Amino acid sequence: MTIRHISVTGIRNLVPVALDPSPRINLLHGCNGSGKTSFLEAIHFLALARSFRSTRIQPMIQQEQDQALVFARIATPHGDELAIGVSRNRQAEAQIRVNGESIRSMAELARNLPLQLINPESFRLLEGSPKVRRQFLDWGVFHVEHSFMHWWQRFQNSLKQRNSLLRHAIIDDQSMHVWDLEFCTASERVDQLRQDYIRRLKPVFTQTLSKLIQLPDLSLSYYRGWDREKSLADVLSSSRQRDRQLGHTQPGPQRADLRLRVGQQNAVEVLSRGQQKLVVCALKIAQGHLLADSMQQRCIYLVDDLGAELDPAYRKALCRLLEQLECQVFITGTEPGSLNYDWHKETPVSMFHVEHGHIKKSGVTE
Ligand SMILES: Nc1ncnc2c1ncn2[C@@H]1O[C@H](COP(=O)(O)OP(=O)(O)O)[C@@H](O)[C@H]1O
Ligand SMILES: [Mg+2]
């Protein structure tokens, strides 16, 4: 997927922007507060109808505007073109149109434009809660296995129903049995799809990481959310008492996690901040490779504030990996120099200058 044309109105300080990015590397430079992150936010909004800076849409909508609107023409891997328009008003009501037709489901929108974000927040992947890692994992499964959404929704719904029953004073055993069955069926499918995905991701991740940094003792493993040796049905019946006391279900995919260790220790406890960042970049790039290999689909990478995050040698290594992925990349930095990298002469690179919300093409090599 590549953005051929994008126009943005009503997002933060961006003066209505219309531009044709390079299908490969796009470098955006400008002072602090000029609108670089806002432009990446606009692409994120196009792909997911929400911001990555806030869960609320209000702060993203430009002051004195009623709505944020992003329109784009996207080239698909099959050579077609998709016209996508996403808007949201101050009441957070969304309008999504793909080739002129209204779409209701965010999942359907997200499938069109797989997006990876590398910014200071994404480094929480290692140190943050398991939820962040589950989101990372499920992003991958969602994009390579189309049945995942169906099972994930059934699992979420049965979990909700089961938790609500657990909170009742008197448990209706028959209803509980019905929801237990549904919960186990859906959970086992979700778990299986996650396991299959991790099995495929691991070698790609190891290979990607080795191109960035040598960490031979680093391992990635998956915890499914309940005892590996037991069936979920058995675990559920033995935890019933405790689940009732807590008022929610303990075992299940809602407790799954990815574990990154160096030897026996948690990676966050032993790796330097810089090393952690590279591990996160390798995880995200590995997902892009896997998506390209299994679905012939390329995701779009948004890399915010590259210069501030990595020192020059690692910046180069990351740029090389992004270039090898052959996907569309948007990289921001305050200084054009921080974005300098010896791109291959055949790689189309466009440079944009961002100033007071205006974005102007300042250079191109094609
Ligand atoms: N809702 C909004 N309406 C108008 N301007 C905004 C809004 N939210 C933020 N801004 C302004 O947008 C500017 C762009 O910020 P940002 O994209 O983060 O800059 P950069 O990433 O280039 O440092 C900031 O100066 C900020 O004050
Ligand atoms: Mg910024």
Side-chain angles (χ1 to χ4, degrees):
M1 296 294 186
T2 49
I3 300 174
R4 279 190 179 146
H5 172 84
I6 180 165
S7 62
V8 181
T9 39
I11 291 189
R12 303 219 187 247
N13 72 333
L14 296 177
V15 179
V17 169
L19 54 93
D20 299 343
S22 150
R24 296 288 302 284
I25 308 295
N26 294 278
L27 307 172
L28 296 108
H29 66 96
C31 314
N32 286 325
S34 58
K36 302 178 298 297
T37 303
S38 304
F39 182 67
L40 300 190
E41 206 177 1
I43 298 176
H44 191 273
F45 180 72
L46 172 75
L48 295 153
R50 60 182 168 79
S51 162
F52 55 77
R53 287 209 261 200
S54 140
T55 47
R56 293 187 314 121
I57 210 70
Q58 278 268 8
M60 193 191 83
I61 301 177
Q62 195 164 81
Q63 282 156 21
E64 292 164 32
Q65 292 290 319
D66 297 329
Q67 63 165 12
L69 168 67
V70 181
F71 169 80
R73 288 199 312 272
I74 310 287
T76 73
H78 321 290
D80 304 330
E81 194 172 84
L82 285 181
I84 304 183
V86 180
S87 71
R88 282 183 90 166
N89 61 18
R90 291 197 175 269
Q91 287 69 49
E93 294 157 343
Q95 270 211 3
I96 304 169
R97 294 177 83 82
V98 176
N99 285 347
E101 281 185 34
S102 271
I103 279 191
R104 297 210 157 271
S105 128
M106 301 289 177
E108 208 176 318
L109 174 69
R111 205 170 296 289
N112 283 314
L113 214 59
L115 199 74
Q116 286 280 357
L117 175 68
I118 297 179
N119 71 351
E121 278 293 291
S122 55
F123 300 123
R124 287 181 43 235
L125 189 54
L126 291 198
E127 64 189 17
S129 70
K131 186 176 172 194
V132 188
R133 286 179 292 279
R134 281 196 298 275
Q135 280 169 348
F136 165 84
L137 167 62
D138 289 345
W139 181 96
V141 194
F142 168 80
H143 281 291
V144 303
E145 181 47 75
H146 288 185
S147 70
F148 181 68
M149 199 59 199
H150 166 82
W151 292 110
W152 192 85
Q153 279 169 342
R154 281 178 62 174
F155 141 68
Q156 282 292 332
N157 183 41
S158 54
L159 176 66
K160 220 166 97 191
Q161 300 289 348
R162 192 177 192 275
N163 286 346
S164 121
L165 280 176
L166 284 170
R167 285 192 290 268
H168 284 154
I170 301 163
I171 287 198
D172 166 359
D173 277 332
Q174 206 174 349
S175 303
M176 192 57 137
H177 181 66
V178 172
W179 284 116
D180 274 6
L181 275 181
E182 170 69 0
F183 180 65
C184 288
T185 308
S187 294
E188 269 153 19
R189 291 303 290 265
V190 165
D191 170 51
Q192 192 57 53
L193 294 171
R194 282 175 171 172
Q195 276 189 47
D196 293 347
Y197 182 76
I198 287 296
R199 192 164 26 81
R200 294 166 64 196
L201 184 71
K202 264 193 202 173
V204 188
F205 166 63
T206 308
Q207 205 189 12
T208 309
L209 185 70
S210 70
K211 291 182 188 159
L212 276 178
I213 185 173
Q214 295 310 311
L215 289 172
D217 295 334
L218 187 97
S219 66
L220 168 68
S221 64
Y222 165 69
Y223 167 66
R224 67 174 174 173
W226 71 94
D227 191 330
R228 200 168 359 138
E229 308 297 327
K230 294 182 181 156
S231 76
L232 183 56
D234 287 347
V235 177
L236 275 185
S237 61
S238 49
S239 77
R240 169 85 73 91
Q241 202 58 29
R242 202 168 132 67
D243 285 358
R244 279 213 63 180
Q245 282 163 0
L246 294 167
H248 63 259
T249 309
Q250 284 281 293
Q254 72 282 8
R255 308 266 296 187
D257 200 359
L258 289 179
R259 290 181 175 160
L260 283 126
R261 294 214 166 91
V262 177
Q264 297 298 313
Q265 283 180 288
N266 270 341
V268 266
E269 285 158 12
V270 273
L271 297 183
S272 74
R273 191 99 183 110
Q275 288 173 323
Q276 289 180 35
K277 287 177 180 179
L278 293 169
V279 171
V280 170
C281 291
L283 281 166
K284 297 203 158 209
I285 290 175
Q287 284 200 318
H289 274 294
L290 197 51
L291 185 70
D293 292 348
S294 46
M295 309 300 284
Q296 284 70 54
Q297 233 195 10
R298 296 193 189 280
C299 48
I300 294 175
Y301 279 79
L302 308 180
V303 185
D304 202 12
D305 232 346
L306 178 68
E309 292 302 328
L310 294 172
D311 60 34
Y314 288 135
R315 236 183 275 161
K316 278 199 167 151
L318 177 65
C319 287
R320 192 175 312 122
L321 285 184
L322 287 169
E323 185 174 41
Q324 285 166 356
L325 254 180
E326 296 188 358
C327 58
Q328 193 173 35
V329 187
F330 294 83
I331 307 177
T332 74
T334 43
E335 298 300 323
S338 71
L339 302 168
N340 262 351
Y341 167 71
D342 207 4
W343 305 101
H344 193 278
K345 61 181 186 324
E346 274 163 24
T347 303
V349 180
S350 291
M351 178 82 103
F352 297 91
H353 183 214
V354 188
E355 197 177 23
H356 305 306
H358 293 270
I359 306 184
K360 288 202 186 76
K361 205 174 233 182
S362 59
V364 58
T365 61
E366 286 186 67

